[in-house]
Amino acid sequence: MSWHHFSRSLLAALFGAVLAALPAQAGVLRWANDGDATMLDPYSRSDTFLLAFLGNMYEPLVGRDRDLKLIPMLATEWSQPSPTVWRFKLRAGVTFHDGSPFSADDVAFSYRRVLSPTSNLSGNFASVVDARVIDPLTIEFVTRVPNPIFPDTITGWMVMSRSWSERNNAQVPADLAHGQENFANRHENGTGPFVLSLREPDVKTVMTANPTWWGRPEHNLDGAEFYVIKDPATRVAALLSGQIDLIVSTPPQSFERIRQTAGYRLLQTPELRTVFLGMDVGRSELLESNVKGRNPFQDIRVRHALTQAIDEDAIVSHIMRGFAVSNALVVGPGVSGFDPALNKRLPYDPTAAARLLAEAGYPDGFEVGFDCPNDRYVNDEQICEAVVIMLARIGVKARLLAQTRAKFFGKVGEPAFNTSLYLYSWSPPTYDAHNTLLNILATRDRQTGAGVFNNGGYSNPALDDLIAKIQVETDAPARQRLLAQALTIVRDDVPVIPLHQQTVVWAARDGVSVAQGGDNWFQLRYAQLK
């Protein structure tokens, strides 16, 4: 037996022993993922798994049901008394987990908090200029210009308690880029259906059902136990041995084994997320390259060369095992604004790619650093390893640095944007292409929150103009035409290289019923155990 296989067997045995030592509990769902929520502050990072995880404890004004339709949460209704004002009536009788009452004052505080320089969700409020408390159960958001889809933009923004935050010196999110911590990183005080009862980062988190939750439970759980099991084989072994009820990061190499095991099944649906490669096109010289005095990625011929050097069909068929759909646009099917007529990739052609590199002045290629997470997307590190091999064929030597999500996002994201080439993805929480364009491709503007995830520093005034027009356009056909123009600019200018939409694949034992949507949010409030 190789050391690799011995290590996996040992991990599985050790993890099994830990779980076996825990008493079985009726009504407690045990689930696992390959990585942890990096912290408990809901404004720290705009990461799907983090927000979904925290969404079991914190709540937004407006949420989404099991079919991804907008539903009332902490707000019972919303309206537009004028084109630039959104009014929300708040739910009466709601309390935070510490027993303090919820009111419009908490919403206004949360609005100010999310705009903090250390917040990663300020882009949700790019159009907002003020939040006005009308009375304890009414709040208005004033927008700079009409924003017809504002409720859709705040479904991932969760309300925090003002008194709890102030009492614990957590009025602003901690500065993660400089390694800071605060109370909200490791504690929670939401209004949601589950309450934190134990937190062991990177190991285990336990939640219990909130007996004073305002809603009518659709779950039948007493609580839930979440485990971090990084090794894919160990994670699947824990499921198939009955130690875990459900896993939300299912390795494709185990799909067939799970399918063929009696009592277990795969749950799958297309995800709204598009996985892509990003390039630093903003700096005059790359941070991590042997090219000095210029930036190869500022030449469109180089960007086209990298696109044509990547065999995305091979990635889909061999690495993703068919559980992905190739994309030429930064959004895919299921996202409002997607147009299949525009979804045409440059053909895979290494010869043409090498010729373009030579024309751009790099006949022997060049070296560049390549950042990749190893526990965030489906087969992320394997995708990056394949890209390294493909780029090497045209002389581009990508030096791969694969890290856990916490280290990866801390490196490539704001404020440093310390990257030259990176694997990234985006799933628009509004289910609308404008959100992707605004967050990933608009010129960075800390004041408005635009481009907060534009790690490559792309700036295109024509695109910015279209993004601004889309944001205020209320006529649906006209808005779609503007979206098509914007998506065409991005496709042709190649500031990022779209790869694919991955498929959401969970695995569960029979007797576990959950709601699975294209947003890849695992909501405990819809879980049932039999």
Side-chain angles (χ1 to χ4, degrees):
M1 178 186 293
S2 69
W3 170 248
H4 179 66
H5 287 105
F6 175 76
S7 298
R8 283 190 166 184
S9 299
L10 181 60
L11 279 169
L14 289 173
F15 186 79
V18 170
L19 279 177
L22 296 172
Q25 299 179 58
V28 175
L29 184 142
R30 294 179 174 186
W31 56 297
N33 188 39
D34 56 354
D36 198 4
T38 49
M39 69 272 306
L40 299 183
D41 190 324
Y43 303 166
S44 58
R45 288 203 172 106
S46 185
D47 172 72
T48 297
F49 179 76
L50 172 67
L51 294 176
F53 186 83
L54 296 180
N56 294 302
M57 296 175 278
Y58 286 97
E59 293 177 307
L61 297 180
V62 182
R64 295 192 184 271
D65 65 10
R66 59 177 74 235
D67 298 315
L68 305 186
K69 295 177 181 176
L70 288 182
I71 57 170
M73 296 287 279
L74 293 178
T76 57
E77 59 183 273
W78 47 95
S79 61
Q80 274 192 286
S82 78
T84 57
V85 174
W86 278 95
R87 178 179 296 160
F88 293 82
K89 292 289 187 179
L90 306 182
R91 193 175 297 278
V94 175
T95 59
F96 288 96
H97 294 163
D98 66 355
S100 60
F102 158 75
S103 75
D105 188 50
D106 298 298
V107 181
F109 164 78
S110 297
Y111 164 71
R112 294 190 298 272
R113 190 179 191 274
V114 82
L115 295 183
S116 304
T118 50
S119 163
N120 212 199
L121 273 75
S122 59
N124 293 349
F125 293 89
S127 67
V128 178
V129 294
D130 194 18
R132 303 186 300 217
V133 174
I134 306 303
D135 60 49
L137 292 178
T138 308
I139 191 163
E140 290 182 346
F141 291 92
V142 182
T143 58
R144 184 180 298 103
V145 291
N147 184 348
I149 63 167
F150 177 65
D152 296 84
T153 70
I154 58 172
T155 57
W157 172 62
M158 301 166 205
V159 177
M160 298 183 68
S161 162
R162 176 179 178 176
S163 61
W164 179 84
S165 299
E166 292 177 344
R167 187 167 62 250
N168 294 293
N169 197 29
Q171 296 95 321
V172 297
D175 187 351
L176 302 180
H178 293 91
Q180 292 183 5
E181 282 267 339
N182 70 23
F183 193 79
N185 280 20
R186 296 183 179 271
H187 304 82
E188 66 86 15
N189 185 38
T191 58
F194 289 85
V195 180
L196 181 71
S197 56
L198 175 68
R199 174 71 173 162
E200 297 177 12
D202 286 321
V203 180
K204 175 184 178 183
T205 301
V206 178
M207 306 176 203
T208 55
N210 180 7
T212 62
W213 185 48
W214 56 265
R216 180 179 62 83
E218 294 185 50
H219 67 82
N220 66 350
L221 305 180
D222 298 319
E225 296 175 354
F226 168 72
Y227 294 90
V228 178
I229 312 176
K230 295 183 181 295
D231 181 73
T234 306
R235 197 162 59 252
V236 172
L239 173 72
L240 299 183
S241 64
Q243 298 162 337
I244 289 293
D245 300 305
L246 178 142
I247 57 177
V248 295
S249 180
T250 310
Q253 60 269 26
S254 298
F255 288 171
E256 203 55 39
R257 180 186 173 196
I258 294 168
R259 276 201 194 100
Q260 294 178 2
T261 302
Y264 294 89
R265 69 195 192 281
L266 292 177
L267 309 171
Q268 56 186 293
T269 190
E271 189 173 10
L272 302 181
R273 175 179 311 282
T274 294
V275 178
F276 61 86
L277 292 176
M279 296 164 282
D280 178 359
V281 296
R283 291 183 174 92
S284 58
E285 180 179 304
L286 294 176
L287 295 176
E288 302 170 336
S289 175
N290 64 341
V291 177
K292 303 304 175 185
R294 56 179 172 159
N295 178 349
F297 295 142
Q298 290 186 337
D299 191 319
I300 193 171
R301 293 171 295 186
V302 174
R303 303 198 296 274
H304 279 169
L306 264 63
T307 304
Q308 293 200 263
I310 295 171
D311 187 352
E312 173 57 22
D313 289 341
I315 291 174
V316 168
S317 61
H318 298 304
I319 296 175
M320 302 301 292
R321 287 174 165 77
F323 285 84
V325 178
S326 176
N327 259 14
L329 300 177
V330 288
V331 296
V335 175
S336 179
F338 172 77
D339 185 345
L342 303 177
N343 197 34
K344 294 180 172 60
R345 295 182 67 87
L346 285 171
Y348 168 61
D349 190 338
T351 302
R355 186 167 57 249
L356 283 169
L357 273 187
E359 290 174 6
Y362 305 98
D364 300 318
F366 56 89
E367 296 180 14
V368 64
F370 183 18
D371 293 298
C372 183
N374 59 16
D375 61 356
R376 179 59 191 92
Y377 316 126
V378 177
N379 285 344
D380 40 18
E381 187 170 4
Q382 294 95 314
I383 293 169
C384 291
E385 289 170 346
V387 168
V388 168
I389 294 170
M390 293 170 184
L391 294 183
R393 292 174 184 154
I394 64 168
V396 175
K397 302 172 185 65
R399 301 187 301 269
L400 180 61
L401 175 60
Q403 302 186 91
T404 61
R405 67 182 73 190
K407 293 179 179 178
F408 169 79
F409 288 121
K411 182 177 187 291
V412 307
E414 67 169 356
F417 303 109
N418 185 17
T419 187
S420 296
L421 177 68
Y422 58 96
L423 184 78
Y424 213 71
S425 81
W426 191 256
S427 177
T430 59
Y431 311 135
D432 188 274
H434 177 265
N435 179 270
T436 300
L437 294 167
L438 177 68
N439 283 281
I440 299 294
L441 294 152
T443 300
R444 294 177 195 154
D445 186 337
R446 211 356 152 161
Q447 186 110 16
T448 66
V452 70
F453 300 100
N454 182 352
N455 301 330
Y458 181 65
S459 181
N460 185 327
L463 180 64
D464 290 338
D465 182 59
L466 284 168
I467 291 172
K469 289 178 179 176
I470 293 164
Q471 186 161 304
V472 301
E473 181 56 67
T474 57
D475 179 73
R479 190 173 188 274
Q480 178 59 41
R481 287 193 294 272
L482 292 171
L483 282 169
Q485 291 176 42
L487 292 171
T488 300
I489 287 176
V490 174
R491 183 198 63 186
D492 294 346
D493 207 25
V494 204
V496 298
I497 302 173
L499 298 179
H500 54 256
Q501 274 187 297
Q502 61 188 28
T503 301
V504 178
V505 183
W506 301 345
R509 67 168 177 83
D510 290 345
V512 175
S513 174
V514 294
Q516 184 188 46
D519 56 357
N520 202 10
W521 278 52
F522 178 41
Q523 301 187 69
L524 289 170
R525 63 194 175 104
Y526 292 131
Q528 294 269 339
L529 284 180
K530 297 178 184 176

